[in-house]
């Protein structure tokens, strides 16, 4: 234009596709692009300039992706993937796609694996830790984050640095009663110190046999307990001069 601004209508000379622009910035006005060879019908002088709508500043990355996808889908174009977000705004570990498949994603929404059906992307411990960490990050909460072992299972001893306490948990991560202690160094507490295996009913303990030691005559003898049969019991208790010492 003579004043140095953009002409309100811009066209591709080869395809004859035209669109309206903001005369100050030259930015294309959404929804004004014509079909090929129909650009001459476009009247940009009567077109109201609309600046592109931007997402709110306080959205998380997942919420921003979802916001943009929902607006793109309302414009009637080809459907765009809209991610699932947690209540705090993090990406849900499992995402469903309109093409009919599922993906496991990381904290940034990047695909880790793809599946034909629903799967558990995280172990129960890692899933609980993920939700707690993202809630604390995005919502400013102080939710306890469980510790998981290298296989993703709940560590048998769980410690909270904020409250300076440690306690034992079962395989499901639930606290075992009467195991909580207070300590100034929770990071140094081990399951052995708390005897977590002793309180965990799921721990298989070795079947150690007890032995009864007794004196008989001039010597000391022993027998495994419990006595396996009536005959063995009869032989044990009918021995002359027997004196039980202990187990």
């Amino acid at each position: 234009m003579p004043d140095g601004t953009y002409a309100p209508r811009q066209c591709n000379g080869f395809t004859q596709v035209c669109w309206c622009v903001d005369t100050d910035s030259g930015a294309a006005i959404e929804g004004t692009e014509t079909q090929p060879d129909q650009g001459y019908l476009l009247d940009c002088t009567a077109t109201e300039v609309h600046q592109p709508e931007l997402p709110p500043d306080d959205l998380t990355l997942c919420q921003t992706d979802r916001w943009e996808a929902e607006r793109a889908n309302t414009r009637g174009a080809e459907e765009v993937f809209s991610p699932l977000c947690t209540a705090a705004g993090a990406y849900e570990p499992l995402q469903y796609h309109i093409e009919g498949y599922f993906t496991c994603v990381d904290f940034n929404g990047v695909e880790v694996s793809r599946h034909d059906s629903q799967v558990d992307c995280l172990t129960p411990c890692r899933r609980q830790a993920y939700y707690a960490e993202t809630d604390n990050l995005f919502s400013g909460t102080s939710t306890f984050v469980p510790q998981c072992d290298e296989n993703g299972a709940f560590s048998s001893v769980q410690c909270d640095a904020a409250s300076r306490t440690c306690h034992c948990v079962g395989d499901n991560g639930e606290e075992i009663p009467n195991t909580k202690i207070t300590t100034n160094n929770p990071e140094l507490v081990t399951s052995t110190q708390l005897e977590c295996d002793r309180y965990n009913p799921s721990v298989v303990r070795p079947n150690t046999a007890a032995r009864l030691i007794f004196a008989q005559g001039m010597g000391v003898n022993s027998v495994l307990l419990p006595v396996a049969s009536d005959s063995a019991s009869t032989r044990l208790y009918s021995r002359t001069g027997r004196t039980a010492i202990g187990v």
Side-chain angles (χ1 to χ4, degrees):
M1 300 294 289
D3 60 357
T5 59
Y6 290 89
R9 185 176 67 179
Q10 299 288 325
C11 297
N12 183 312
F14 179 73
T15 63
Q16 292 302 306
V17 171
C18 296
W19 59 93
C20 299
V21 300
D22 179 355
T23 56
D24 292 326
S25 66
I29 298 175
E30 186 176 345
T32 62
E33 185 174 299
T34 68
Q35 295 295 320
D37 299 321
Q38 295 184 3
Y40 67 94
L41 298 174
L42 181 63
D43 180 11
C44 291
T45 59
T47 302
E48 182 181 357
V49 175
H50 295 283
Q51 294 296 333
E53 186 180 5
L54 299 177
D57 294 334
D58 59 348
L59 297 184
T60 65
L61 183 59
C62 181
Q63 291 169 338
T64 299
D65 285 349
R66 186 173 180 84
W67 185 93
E68 293 176 344
E70 289 176 345
R71 276 150 185 76
N73 291 334
T74 59
R75 292 195 291 266
E78 183 177 352
E79 189 168 358
V80 177
F81 168 68
S82 181
L84 298 175
C85 308
T86 67
Y91 289 95
E92 282 286 357
L94 180 67
Q95 298 285 333
Y96 175 72
H97 296 256
I98 56 177
E99 293 83 1
Y101 62 89
F102 297 84
T103 57
C104 293
V105 301
D106 63 12
F107 174 81
N108 294 311
V110 177
E111 180 179 326
V112 176
S113 58
R114 184 174 296 194
H115 309 272
D116 294 330
S117 59
Q118 284 185 282
V119 296
D120 291 327
C121 296
L122 301 173
T123 64
C125 181
R126 287 173 177 164
R127 182 169 55 251
Q128 185 176 327
Y130 176 81
Y131 286 133
E133 288 175 338
T134 53
D135 282 352
N136 293 342
L137 177 63
F138 296 130
S139 301
T141 58
S142 299
T143 305
F144 172 71
V145 180
Q147 294 95 53
C148 311
D149 64 19
E150 62 275 9
N151 297 317
F154 287 96
S155 297
S156 56
V157 60
Q158 297 286 327
C159 293
D160 184 3
S163 63
R164 294 186 176 183
T165 59
C166 294
H167 59 270
C168 300
V169 299
D171 292 344
N172 58 1
E174 294 185 4
E175 180 179 342
I176 297 176
N178 304 317
T179 62
K180 180 175 288 187
I181 65 169
T182 301
T183 173
N184 289 328
N185 299 294
E187 68 279 0
L188 301 180
V189 176
T190 66
S191 60
T192 302
Q193 290 173 304
L194 289 184
E195 297 183 305
C196 291
D197 288 350
R198 173 185 174 188
Y199 297 99
N200 190 347
S202 64
V203 174
V204 178
R205 296 169 179 80
N207 185 17
T208 56
R211 184 178 293 273
L212 176 66
I213 302 173
F214 61 94
Q216 182 181 26
M218 298 299 292
V220 177
N221 296 287
S222 66
V223 65
L224 290 176
L225 296 178
V227 177
S229 65
D230 290 340
S231 59
S233 175
T234 301
R235 289 196 301 272
L236 171 62
Y237 291 107
S238 64
R239 289 177 177 175
T240 304
R242 64 191 182 282
T243 302
I245 297 176
V247 178

